[in-house]
Amino acid sequence: MKVVYYIIFFSWYLLSLLPIKILYFFSDILFLLIYYVIRYRRAVVRNNLVNSFPNKTIVEIVKIEKEFYRFFCDYIVETIKLLSISKEDSSLDFLP
């Protein structure tokens, strides 16, 4: 089991060495997969948004939902980047 952990960690570490712009490109692909293909917890997210914003139309709710999933995917790749980020790079603004 330890070997599997090291293989996974090494893979994530290699991925974290990529420039942040490439990771954001992967984030866009991940968004497409999570939102349209896997449909990860979309019913739960939509239900929560409808309950939280009863005055919003369904078009506005879907827009907020997509923004959430984009942020979620960006957060995933930024967390991966934390494995190898240097102290100098950590002070830079990485937003595209």
Side-chain angles (χ1 to χ4, degrees), residues 36-84:
Y36 291 108
V37 177
I38 300 171
R39 301 175 63 90
Y40 177 71
R41 298 177 57 91
R42 270 180 59 183
V44 173
V45 171
R46 171 115 9 121
N47 187 36
N48 287 342
L49 288 172
V50 167
N51 291 336
S52 297
F53 302 107
N55 300 345
K56 301 252 185 218
T57 65
I58 192 66
V59 173
E60 293 171 316
I61 294 291
V62 169
K63 182 180 180 214
I64 294 170
E65 184 180 315
K66 286 182 180 180
E67 288 174 4
F68 163 74
Y69 277 99
R70 286 197 184 277
F71 170 78
F72 180 60
C73 293
D74 286 346
Y75 186 74
I76 290 170
V77 298
E78 288 168 358
T79 303
I80 291 170
K81 184 65 177 173
L82 285 175
L83 290 171
S84 67

